[in-house]
Amino acid sequence: MIEIDGISIIIERKNIKNMYIRISPPNGEVKMSVPFSVSDEEVFNFAKSKINWITKKVLEIQSKDYITPLKYKTGEKHLLWGKEYFLKLIPKEKSKKALIQEDTLFLPVKKRSTIDERQKALIEFYRDEIKLAIPPILANACNVVGKSPNEWRVKNMKTRWGTCNINKKRIWINLQLAKKPPECLEYVIYHELTHLHVANHSIEFKDLLNKFYPNSNEVKNILNKSKI
């Protein structure tokens, strides 16, 4: 490792022909790959010649809010109904269903599971949770709104918290809402049911939604500030 102008640079010697510099989020770690044949002096001089560019890139990366990719492994924190829980992977042989105990979410997975398999298992847990939560909220909302869907379904959506098919009177709820505070699910259900009165997002729609669910703007802001 070398240090130039307060920037630490990790040196990795490899069987390559040229020198390369890479700067990685979230902390702006600087690594430099160099050929075995290059001297320490040449390495230092090359890094020195690039230090203004390196410093600029490090500051850019450190100023951004990078989200570390989830690996769905024991010790990670995951959300359920707006609260954080430590994830604990357990063998499927011990339990068939995920469960919550105090501050821990126990997730059954097969031995040597992949990230995709663990993610899928957690998604199915969220699906089960939200399917249990929807019926009582929907029943109350239908009484308030004065409209009922012919059908409701749960789906893992990437861009919407919910949708409403006006013609079929079918609403879809994003299972990712299981991560949010319970009032977010309430808001989305009231929102989609209100579409059975007004198809668009006109002033009439907003006025009705505020009538049916008075704190809709407050909860909407919570969802707008969060990512799916």
Side-chain angles (χ1 to χ4, degrees):
M1 179 185 291
I2 60 175
E3 185 172 315
I4 302 174
D5 294 351
I7 302 290
S8 297
I9 303 173
I10 299 170
I11 306 301
E12 296 179 333
R13 290 192 175 272
K14 299 181 178 181
N15 186 23
I16 53 178
K17 293 182 179 180
N18 300 304
M19 289 185 278
Y20 301 95
I21 297 172
R22 64 185 182 277
I23 305 168
S24 305
N27 300 318
E29 183 183 61
V30 184
K31 289 185 179 181
M32 185 172 166
S33 299
V34 302
F36 289 111
S37 59
V38 175
S39 69
D40 290 344
E41 183 180 1
E42 289 176 297
V43 171
F44 183 89
N45 289 337
F46 181 80
K48 183 69 174 177
S49 70
K50 301 291 184 181
I51 196 61
N52 289 338
W53 174 82
I54 292 172
T55 301
K56 180 181 177 182
K57 291 298 180 182
V58 168
L59 291 174
E60 284 180 1
I61 288 174
Q62 290 178 344
S63 68
K64 295 179 180 179
D65 293 328
Y66 281 94
I67 300 175
T68 304
L70 292 170
K71 296 183 179 180
Y72 302 91
K73 62 181 183 179
T74 294
E76 275 186 349
K77 288 184 178 180
H78 288 264
L79 291 167
L80 176 66
W81 302 124
K83 297 180 181 179
E84 281 190 332
Y85 293 88
F86 289 101
L87 186 66
K88 172 71 174 178
L89 302 180
I90 58 175
K92 271 191 172 182
E93 294 77 18
K94 288 189 176 181
S95 177
K96 297 297 182 184
K97 288 189 176 182
L99 69 152
I100 295 288
Q101 288 185 357
E102 297 180 351
D103 63 348
T104 303
L105 193 170
F106 293 89
L107 185 69
V109 292
K110 70 179 185 180
K111 193 175 181 180
R112 297 187 183 89
S113 58
T114 65
I115 292 177
D116 287 344
E117 288 170 338
R118 296 193 293 272
Q119 181 185 29
K120 184 178 179 181
L122 189 59
I123 285 173
E124 291 310 308
F125 169 68
Y126 286 137
R127 190 188 304 276
D128 292 341
E129 282 287 313
I130 206 161
K131 280 185 174 181
L132 288 173
I134 287 174
I137 298 173
L138 182 62
N140 185 64
C142 289
N143 288 332
V144 174
V145 175
K147 294 283 187 178
S148 300
N150 289 334
E151 183 182 16
W152 62 267
R153 296 182 184 179
V154 173
K155 187 177 182 180
N156 190 21
M157 294 183 276
K158 294 183 178 180
T159 59
R160 294 183 179 183
W161 295 112
T163 62
C164 179
N165 185 312
I166 307 298
N167 295 327
K168 295 182 179 179
K169 295 179 67 176
R170 176 194 298 147
I171 65 172
W172 289 89
I173 303 297
N174 191 341
L175 63 82
Q176 296 292 331
L177 282 164
K179 298 178 182 179
K180 308 301 176 185
E183 59 266 29
C184 292
L185 174 59
E186 286 183 345
Y187 164 78
V188 172
I189 289 175
Y190 275 86
H191 182 110
E192 301 310 330
L193 286 181
T194 303
H195 276 307
L196 297 178
H197 284 288
V198 181
N200 53 40
H201 290 101
S202 62
I203 293 177
E204 180 187 3
F205 172 85
K206 293 176 182 178
D207 287 344
L208 272 177
L209 180 55
N210 286 328
K211 176 184 175 182
F212 298 142
Y213 197 75
N215 62 336
S216 61
N217 289 331
E218 179 183 337
V219 181
K220 180 181 178 181
N221 288 335
I222 294 175
L223 287 174
N224 286 341
K225 289 178 183 178
S226 60
K227 296 182 179 180
I228 295 179

